[in-house]
Amino acid sequence: MTDLTALLSAAEVFSVLDIPPGTKQLLAGYSGGLDSHVLLHLLHTYCHQSKPAPGLTAIHINHGLNPDAGHWAEHCRAICQELKIEYRLIELDARAPKGESQEAWARKLRYDALRQLVGPADILMTAHHQDDMAETLLIQLFRGSGPAGLAAMPAKSGFGPGRHYRPLLQYTRSDLKTYAEQHRLSWIEDDSNTDLKYDRNLIRNNILPAISQRWPAISRTLYRAARLQADAASLLDDLGNSDMQLCAVDHGNYLRVSLLQVLSSTRAANTVRYWIRSRGFPLPTERQLSEVFTSLLAAGPDTVPCVCWNGTELRRYRDTIFITAPLPDPPDPLLQIDWDMNTPCKLVMGTLQASRGRGSGIKASKCMNDHLNVRFRRTDTLIKMSGHHHQLRKLFQQYGIPPCYREYIPLLFAADVLIMIPGICIADDYLATADEEGWKIEWTDSATVCLGGPD
């Protein structure tokens, strides 16, 4: 392994940082501490030796948690002025709500703020090192995490539209300190790093030192273990993606229950976890995932069970499961909206939009003054289609619309006659013929509510 303290040549710095050609901007997370100052110094060296060089900006985040935070921000500003590096200060109120972990809450706000700054050709660079990796692995182990959690920190990952690099993971805190001393760097010592009420500090100051007395290379060993777990997690993702493709319908919006049930319980659980993550939702706990299998997958096809966690709702309808954010309060069933079709109509879910044309949509001659009446769930209402009157309930079943969505679907009336259900049908007497002026009407959330979905 390259000796970090000997990184003086351009080739060695380039090798460690591994910044791809075409990178527009490097954003360095800079707390002012030892680790981030070493990284900033390396990036500064890189940008001076690289032709052409990307931009370099140091990002300092003041969480508002330490009374010395203002002094730290000024220290970082002074260092950046000395090195002629662009400096940006972000101030947050990172005090955690009741019941939330202060560490986790501050980290979430920090990364949310950083994500707003990273463009498609940019890289966020952070100074996580081998000891950080070891600490994170132990934290995840104590929480009972699986391979994905025990993989701890990837060296490279996507971040918003850009990338996130941790180029110092192969080095220890001791390596970084030696480098900083040899280059006479000036850094901040955060007194909160000794506060043992934080899990990471307890592991860093008490647990790892005790273990290292018996196993001196424990950080390097745990780093290797994390990399092996990352390999295992990658293989599980490959299997999860393969199984999801077999079980998914409608471009992955749903999973077929009958196909999941063919898999072993372990493999089915891996598939569901992978699918949930691929849809952009947080993963359930083991207890919640068990409830998914007992309440949803084992439920009868005529039931509509739902399992909820952390801003996520997983439901079953017929032979499929689907996932959503919590639904808004439904519109009042007595609500009526007088809609001027020349302007969009914003609804509780989605928006109605109309465009004038010939040969499709609702007959313009049937829309008095370009107005229609928008109503919602009318269980006793019929619509005439293909020469027959159809009940809404049966139409919704035919088009595979889960019950949880049905009360949000706009129903378009002319006088007291139901003439259109957007995405499903137009009543026979109101459908524009090829030579007639018509209003083409679209509802932006028609795909969301599974219109035309599984039968």
Side-chain angles (χ1 to χ4, degrees):
M1 183 175 68
T2 303
D3 180 3
L4 182 65
T5 63
L7 289 176
L8 300 177
S9 72
E12 289 168 326
V13 173
F14 286 18
S15 175
V16 169
L17 297 178
D18 193 23
I19 297 168
T23 299
K24 181 178 179 181
Q25 184 80 5
L26 301 175
L27 304 171
Y30 182 40
S31 68
L34 166 68
D35 311 339
S36 64
H37 198 162
V38 168
L39 176 63
L40 189 67
H41 189 269
L42 288 169
L43 292 172
H44 181 255
T45 302
Y46 170 87
C47 289
H48 271 271
Q49 296 176 337
S50 178
K51 304 296 181 186
L56 174 59
T57 302
I59 310 295
H60 179 81
I61 296 183
N62 179 357
H63 297 88
L65 299 174
N66 193 297
D68 291 328
H71 299 301
W72 299 344
E74 287 307 312
H75 168 88
C76 292
R77 186 189 304 276
I79 294 294
C80 289
Q81 285 178 342
E82 179 184 338
L83 296 175
K84 295 182 173 57
I85 295 172
E86 183 178 350
Y87 172 77
R88 182 160 182 178
L89 171 65
I90 297 176
E91 296 187 312
L92 302 173
D93 180 0
R95 291 172 294 182
K98 186 176 180 180
E100 295 282 352
S101 160
Q102 182 60 72
E103 288 177 283
W105 185 256
R107 182 171 57 253
K108 176 186 181 303
L109 294 187
R110 178 167 65 252
Y111 279 105
D112 285 348
L114 290 168
R115 200 169 280 109
Q116 303 302 313
L117 304 178
V118 178
D122 299 342
I123 303 176
L124 170 67
M125 309 287 284
T126 56
H128 298 100
H129 48 71
Q130 202 169 94
D131 296 274
D132 291 325
M133 176 79 93
E135 293 160 10
T136 301
L137 185 147
L138 289 178
I139 288 172
Q140 295 295 337
L141 183 64
F142 297 156
R143 291 173 178 169
S145 298
L150 296 178
M153 302 175 183
K156 298 178 182 179
S157 60
F159 191 75
R163 301 285 290 169
H164 180 190
Y165 280 18
R166 298 178 175 94
L168 303 181
L169 283 179
Q170 59 182 315
Y171 302 104
T172 65
R173 185 177 287 112
S174 177
D175 292 333
L176 270 58
K177 187 174 182 181
T178 301
Y179 179 94
E181 290 171 344
Q182 288 194 354
H183 290 273
R184 299 181 180 179
L185 304 184
S186 174
W187 64 87
I188 295 165
E189 294 289 355
D190 183 352
D191 57 359
S192 69
N193 286 335
T194 61
D195 189 344
L196 299 185
K197 73 180 179 182
Y198 298 118
D199 294 341
R200 186 174 294 275
N201 290 345
L202 179 65
I203 291 172
R204 176 180 302 167
N205 296 301
N206 287 16
I207 296 176
L208 274 175
I211 296 174
S212 64
Q213 290 180 11
R214 184 65 174 264
W215 294 281
I218 187 61
S219 290
R220 201 174 309 283
T221 301
L222 292 177
Y223 170 79
R224 185 170 64 251
R227 298 273 54 82
L228 292 172
Q229 290 298 314
D231 291 343
S234 179
L235 289 173
L236 286 173
D237 279 352
D238 288 345
L239 180 62
N241 181 56
S242 177
D243 286 341
M244 184 186 75
Q245 300 306 321
L246 293 173
C247 298
V249 289
D250 190 33
H251 308 291
N253 288 325
Y254 317 96
L255 291 182
R256 288 283 190 196
V257 173
S258 56
L259 295 177
L260 282 171
Q261 290 172 334
V262 173
L263 303 175
S264 69
S265 59
T266 302
R267 194 162 164 178
N270 182 61
T271 304
V272 171
R273 275 194 297 265
Y274 183 87
W275 172 70
I276 291 170
R277 198 168 73 248
S278 73
R279 304 295 297 164
F281 288 91
L283 289 174
T285 64
E286 283 298 310
R287 181 189 61 79
Q288 291 161 340
L289 186 62
S290 176
E291 188 179 354
V292 168
F293 279 80
T294 56
S295 296
L296 267 71
L297 300 189
D302 296 330
T303 61
V304 285
C306 176
V307 177
C308 305
W309 71 89
N310 194 19
T312 305
E313 296 181 353
L314 191 62
R315 290 181 169 85
R316 175 172 179 173
Y317 179 56
R318 297 177 177 170
D319 189 37
T320 62
I321 59 173
F322 61 99
I323 192 167
T324 71
L327 299 178
D329 291 336
D332 187 331
L334 300 179
L335 175 66
Q336 296 190 31
I337 301 172
D338 182 26
W339 176 33
D340 179 353
M341 290 185 289
N342 294 291
T343 60
C345 180
K346 179 69 176 174
L347 306 174
V348 171
M349 282 186 65
T351 301
L352 286 170
Q353 297 174 326
S355 57
R356 193 78 174 255
R358 182 174 291 277
S360 64
I362 298 173
K363 292 182 179 182
S365 60
K366 296 281 190 176
C367 304
M368 186 172 297
N369 299 321
D370 297 339
H371 279 242
L372 289 177
N373 191 258
V374 183
R375 306 179 192 179
F376 298 90
R377 185 69 179 271
R378 295 286 197 277
T379 56
D380 57 346
T381 304
L382 302 176
I383 187 169
K384 187 178 180 183
M385 185 175 65
S386 301
H388 299 282
H389 287 90
H390 298 265
Q391 295 180 343
L392 289 186
R393 178 177 59 84
K394 291 185 177 180
L395 276 178
F396 290 159
Q397 291 174 348
Q398 178 183 340
Y399 280 80
I401 302 172
C404 64
Y405 287 131
R406 295 176 186 177
E407 53 194 334
Y408 298 92
I409 296 174
L411 309 174
L412 305 185
F413 284 76
D416 283 327
V417 178
L418 176 59
I419 65 170
M420 182 179 185
I421 308 172
I424 293 184
C425 64
I426 298 175
D428 289 347
D429 297 338
Y430 294 81
L431 181 62
T433 59
D435 60 347
E436 287 184 303
E437 284 285 319
W439 282 102
K440 182 180 178 181
I441 296 174
E442 295 181 348
W443 179 39
T444 58
D445 265 20
S446 61
T448 301
V449 302
C450 315
L451 298 187
D455 191 23

